[in-house]
């Protein structure tokens, strides 16, 4: 690495914890005040004995606020969470519908400016400056990753190319013509960039690429390393969700060891998703977030369904904002296969750690008689793909055994040629659960 750490807002990013918590309390009161102006919280908070911002006296009072869920947001669609006059709203975004129907979030001008500040802080913290050329290779539109990173990149002063997702031939033209140094994309897409480059005849030397921001979906440390090696770049994990504005909620710094949650903008808690009890000792559980920086759609104690936990030791970069562990799964993407719990990320970890395995895979679950049947379809690196069935069968068996040892389920394994499994432009869809719904 060898780079020195740089801070966008040093006094806030390295603020002593006690001061940071005092700032959080002040902002929490403000957020509760904003929330009480929305139809939803105007009803919900008084039932919990919170009638005004002054009822929040310490940060511990946060726990008196009931959780807000995705169902609450859906149930209050379209304006139940709106806390400002409609004519003061200047933008709306929607969740990309990782699961179920989308929910909408509204911003006033001040909200947009606060949000881009957190994204700028995140981008700058990875070592980018105004000298960088940033190609935002992610979907623009209702999804927050496009406009969110766009505004943050401009605030840093980078040259921002709003290339959007797709049209890979044109993406490489842009990279060559404008000397792109940084890109933002999903990790599943970045895994494909090198093979697309080869197919398009683009040499790595013709590009000035040095960094990528990868997020919007879970990926493992091995996947990060794979992308870094394939493209010879630095990859930074970017976490966000539309309910908390979008990108810029938590981001890796140059130490690349956990994602700093910007605690002057968001309060993070970890809970046991079954009992809803707080987990305060650094354990893993469901991440609950309170947004302190959006007036038009205040959201308090939102159950993200993302599984993570806080590191307890301080980061070598000097920032005092706590770091979240890489988010590997959501409570709602767990599969139950013949009674055994399985997160898709467990399969990814095995696939990405095997050098023979390619950069794409698919998980299929079917019903066979009374039993569930798990099939893992994985691409194979070109050098291992032959017409000779013997080595292929041996490799298949090796992958099957490695998977079984790790997930305790015996999967069927199918090998596929590199580049043959479907690639999505947005978030990867890697699980096909074909079991009848009500069985
Ligand atoms: P959306 O609101 O449509 O942007 O989706 C947000 C969801 O995407 C989060 O709640 C996470 O489940 C997932 N997500 C976003 N960034 C990451 C990341 N860096 N790692 C893992 N999951 C992520
Ligand atoms: Zn750090």
């Amino acid at each position: 690495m060898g780079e020195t750490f740089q801070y966008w807002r040093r006094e806030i990013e390295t603020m002593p914890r006690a001061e940071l918590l005092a700032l959080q309390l002040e902002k929490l009161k403000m957020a509760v005040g904003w929330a009480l102006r929305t139809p939803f919280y105007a009803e919900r908070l008084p039932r919990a004995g919170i009638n005004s911002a002054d009822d929040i006296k310490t940060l511990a009072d946060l726990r008196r606020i009931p959780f807000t869920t995705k169902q609450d947001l859906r149930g209050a669609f379209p304006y139940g969470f709106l806390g400002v006059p409609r004519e003061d709203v200047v933008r709306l975004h929607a969740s990309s519908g990782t699961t179920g129907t989308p929910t909408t979030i509204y911003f006033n001008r001040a909200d947009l400016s606060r949000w881009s500040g957190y994204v700028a802080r995140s981008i700058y913290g990875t070592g980018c400056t105004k000298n960088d050329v940033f190609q935002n290779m992610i979907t623009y539109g209702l999804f927050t990753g496009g406009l969110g990173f766009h505004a943050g990149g401009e605030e840093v002063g980078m040259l921002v190319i709003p290339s959007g997702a797709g049209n890979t031939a044109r993406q490489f033209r842009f990279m060559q013509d404008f000397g792109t140094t940084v890109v933002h994309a999903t990790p599943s897409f970045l895994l494909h960039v090198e093979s697309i480059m080869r197919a398009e005849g683009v040499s790595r030397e013709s590009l000035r690429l040095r960094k990528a921001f990868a997020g919007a979906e879970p990926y493992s440390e091995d996947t990060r390393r794979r992308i870094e090696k394939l493209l010879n770049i630095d990859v930074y994990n970017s976490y966000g969700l539309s309910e908390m504005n979008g990108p810029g909620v938590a981001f890796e710094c140059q130490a690349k060891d956990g994602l700093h949650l910007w605690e002057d903008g968001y309060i993070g808690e970890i809970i046991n998703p079954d009992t809803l009890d707080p987990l305060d000792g650094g354990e893993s559980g469901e991440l609950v977030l309170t947004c302190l920086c959006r007036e038009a759609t205040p959201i308090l104690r939102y159950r993200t369904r993302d599984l993570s936990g806080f590191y307890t030791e301080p980061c070598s970069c000097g920032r005092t904002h706590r770091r979240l562990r890489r988010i590997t799964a959501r409570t709602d993407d767990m599969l139950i296969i013949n009674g055994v719990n399985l997160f898709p990320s467990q399969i990814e970890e095995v696939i990405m750690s095997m050098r023979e395995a390619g950069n794409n895979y698919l998980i299929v679950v079917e019903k066979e008689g009374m039993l569930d049947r798990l099939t893992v379809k994985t691409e194979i690196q070109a050098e291992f793909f032959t017409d000779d069935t013997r080595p292929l069968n041996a490799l298949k068996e090796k992958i099957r055994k490695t998977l079984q040892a790790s997930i305790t389920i015996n999967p069927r394994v199918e090998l596929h040629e590199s580049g043959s499994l479907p690639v999505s432009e947005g978030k990867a869809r890697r699980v096909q659960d074909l079991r009848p719904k009500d069985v």
Side-chain angles (χ1 to χ4, degrees):
M1 200 162 33
E3 289 160 289
T4 47
F5 298 117
Q6 59 180 31
Y7 313 94
W8 185 243
R9 294 283 175 264
R10 180 192 286 265
E11 68 289 3
I12 291 179
E13 292 172 51
T14 61
M15 188 176 257
R17 286 295 299 171
E19 277 176 49
L20 186 54
L21 296 178
L23 181 63
Q24 268 194 336
L25 175 60
E26 206 179 290
K27 290 195 174 184
L28 176 62
K29 284 171 163 238
M30 190 172 65
V32 166
W34 290 341
L36 282 162
R37 291 194 224 132
T38 69
F40 177 84
Y41 288 113
E43 209 220 304
R44 174 76 63 101
L45 294 182
R47 275 199 269 139
I50 300 165
N51 295 291
S52 86
D54 291 334
D55 288 326
I56 303 294
K57 301 208 178 344
T58 69
L59 275 180
D61 287 330
L62 177 70
R63 290 191 179 160
R64 293 173 51 205
I65 300 174
F67 295 114
T68 300
T69 63
K70 190 91 174 175
Q71 286 73 12
D72 291 329
L73 293 175
R74 285 201 190 118
F77 181 85
Y79 290 127
F81 278 82
L82 188 62
V84 299
R86 202 331 261 121
E87 62 271 23
D88 291 342
V89 174
V90 295
R91 170 101 64 85
L92 73 79
H93 276 289
S95 138
S96 55
T98 306
T99 50
T101 44
T103 46
T104 31
I105 303 297
Y106 305 92
F107 300 80
N108 66 20
R109 254 178 229 293
D111 294 336
L112 286 181
S113 129
R114 281 185 284 258
W115 176 23
S116 64
Y118 291 109
V119 181
R121 185 195 292 184
S122 307
I123 291 175
Y124 196 74
T126 67
C128 290
T129 66
K130 62 190 227 146
N131 296 321
D132 279 292
V133 178
F134 172 46
Q135 196 162 320
N136 198 13
M137 295 171 26
I138 206 124
T139 317
Y140 277 63
L142 289 176
F143 174 56
T144 54
L147 286 169
F149 263 95
H150 187 101
E154 283 185 352
E155 192 162 326
V156 168
M158 305 195 286
L159 166 54
V160 183
I161 307 172
S163 62
N167 201 341
T168 42
R170 201 180 55 154
Q171 300 278 8
F172 291 121
R173 277 288 302 279
F174 286 163
M175 288 187 198
Q176 289 171 323
D177 290 348
F178 307 118
T180 300
T181 54
V182 190
V183 293
H184 169 218
T186 57
S188 47
F189 182 76
L190 287 171
L191 276 170
H192 292 287
V193 167
E194 196 266 344
S195 61
I196 304 168
M197 270 168 63
R198 257 188 288 131
E200 301 272 345
V202 177
S203 74
R204 177 65 186 87
E205 294 66 44
S206 70
L207 305 180
R208 296 184 54 209
L209 208 57
R210 64 186 188 104
K211 278 187 206 309
F213 310 131
E217 61 188 20
Y219 60 114
S220 61
E221 189 58 44
D222 277 327
T223 298
R224 182 230 297 273
R225 287 205 205 101
R226 219 177 240 234
I227 301 169
E228 292 193 323
K229 204 162 144 230
L230 278 169
L231 295 172
N232 189 21
I233 54 173
D234 258 336
V235 173
Y236 291 90
N237 196 346
S238 151
Y239 170 76
L241 59 164
S242 41
E243 291 82 357
M244 295 291 128
N245 294 327
V249 174
F251 221 94
E252 281 179 332
C253 66
Q254 283 168 297
K256 284 201 218 160
D257 185 18
L259 297 87
H260 288 283
L261 173 72
W262 299 128
E263 294 187 283
D264 56 323
Y266 306 91
I267 301 183
E269 301 168 80
I270 302 290
I271 61 164
N272 176 324
D274 300 320
T275 62
L276 307 185
D277 289 334
L279 298 172
D280 292 328
E283 308 97 313
S284 280
E286 180 178 349
L287 176 65
V288 171
L289 290 170
T290 294
C291 189
L292 303 177
C293 54
R294 196 181 49 225
E295 182 177 10
T297 317
I299 297 186
L300 311 173
R301 298 196 88 198
Y302 180 65
R303 290 190 58 187
T304 65
R305 302 196 254 190
D306 292 323
L307 294 170
S308 184
F310 283 106
Y311 286 106
T312 43
E313 0 33 273
C315 185
S316 59
C317 75
R319 288 179 180 83
T320 48
H321 299 238
R322 286 180 302 166
R323 287 165 301 149
L324 286 170
R325 280 199 282 274
R326 173 182 285 284
I327 289 101
T328 49
R330 294 173 55 82
T331 52
D332 52 5
D333 68 12
M334 188 181 78
L335 295 161
I336 302 180
I337 296 178
N338 297 323
V340 178
N341 297 349
L342 173 71
F343 285 106
S345 56
Q346 292 173 269
I347 293 185
E348 183 196 291
E349 266 162 38
V350 173
I351 300 283
M352 291 298 157
S353 69
M354 297 186 72
R355 69 188 182 94
E356 300 95 336
N359 295 329
N360 202 358
Y361 64 93
L362 200 63
I363 299 166
V364 183
V365 193
E366 293 154 297
K367 202 88 195 165
E368 245 179 34
M370 294 303 287
L371 291 178
D372 298 325
R373 184 34 118 169
L374 171 70
T375 305
V376 177
K377 303 181 177 187
T378 176
E379 289 184 2
I380 291 302
Q381 300 286 9
E383 69 218 79
F384 295 100
F385 212 88
T386 69
D387 287 336
D388 187 353
T389 51
R390 249 177 326 154
L392 276 188
N393 279 337
L395 177 55
K396 191 151 104 175
E397 186 53 16
K398 179 176 168 190
I399 295 176
R400 190 195 61 73
K401 275 198 184 137
T402 317
L403 277 168
Q404 189 177 10
S406 156
I407 63 179
T408 73
I409 300 166
N410 182 11
R412 192 178 283 164
V413 171
E414 274 181 24
L415 304 186
H416 291 256
E417 211 167 335
S418 173
S420 64
L421 289 176
V423 183
S424 143
E425 273 179 15
K427 301 188 190 228
R429 291 187 204 290
R430 288 212 169 103
V431 179
Q432 288 180 351
D433 193 341
L434 307 174
R435 290 175 291 188
K437 282 280 169 294
D438 46 354
V439 177

